[in-house]
Amino acid sequence: MSITPTNSSALIIIDVQNDFLPGGALAVNDGDAVIDIINSISPSFPNLVVTQDWHPKGHISFASTHDAEAFSVREVEYGPQVMWPDHCVQATHGGALADNLQTDRAQLIIRKGCNIGLDSYSAFIEADKATSTGLAGYLRMRKISEVFLVGLATDFCVAFSAIDACTAGFDTYVIEDACRAIDLDGSLAAAWKDMTDAGVKRIASDHIDVA
Ligand code: VGL
Ligand code: ZN
């Protein structure tokens, strides 16, 4: 299989931020391995969108906000919420994009999880399943019909974004080797099942024709 991106294809780079890299507050195993792969394929895409997890201090998803144990689950207004270590706080080094991620050609950098009382794994719809980030509208206005997702973490922000992209009507691919997972209690296998059931296509970076 080989795919040549067209003017209606966008690469969406999810949350390649310092806090998700080794040494970061919510480090994803081997998370830095995605950077070279993403940099090698991004020149093939005419359209590039980058996302950032971007939380205010005291965010509802932080264990510290609730005096909860990290990685436990609490019921909040919009459903179960994993209690994460403080991460990707607005305007901190941890929230910044990885230094060596090539983003010069990105047309849009979109931030999510900015509301203190609402988390968002998805780049499209926040955790209340109602608040839109505006990304679907942006893509439609740009006549983009096909999206390719890469980044961190496979089983949270990549998976939720991919499923919402499918639901919003985009032809959706996840480039598996350009992603790494947190894998909390089987969340990676569950995420792939949910993505596959939703119609997300699972491909490898060497399927993308180099520009
Ligand atoms: C993410 C957990 C909490 C992600 C963001 O980018 O996958 N995971 N916030
Ligand atoms: Zn977060």
Side-chain angles (χ1 to χ4, degrees), residues 51-120:
T51 74
Q52 271 181 301
D53 206 39
W54 198 249
H55 303 310
K57 278 185 231 163
H59 191 249
I60 193 163
S61 76
F62 295 171
S64 64
T65 302
H66 309 262
D67 261 323
E69 199 180 323
F71 305 104
S72 63
V73 178
R74 284 281 176 102
E75 202 59 39
V76 298
E77 219 174 297
Y78 49 79
Q81 170 69 56
V82 178
M83 299 284 98
W84 301 107
D86 292 20
H87 65 280
C88 297
V89 174
Q90 294 173 359
T92 61
H93 173 78
L97 294 167
D99 275 341
N100 46 350
L101 181 73
Q102 188 49 254
T103 60
D104 294 350
R105 292 180 53 258
Q107 292 121 332
L108 177 70
I109 299 179
I110 187 157
R111 291 165 166 173
K112 62 186 174 61
C114 307
N115 182 331
I116 195 160
L118 180 58
D119 201 12
S120 190

Side-chain angles (χ1 to χ4, degrees), residues 15 20 26 53 55 84 87 121 152-153 156-157 182:
D15 300 0
F20 296 125
L26 181 42
D53 206 39
H55 303 310
W84 301 107
H87 65 280
Y121 299 143
L152 305 171
F156 289 92
C157 291
I182 294 174

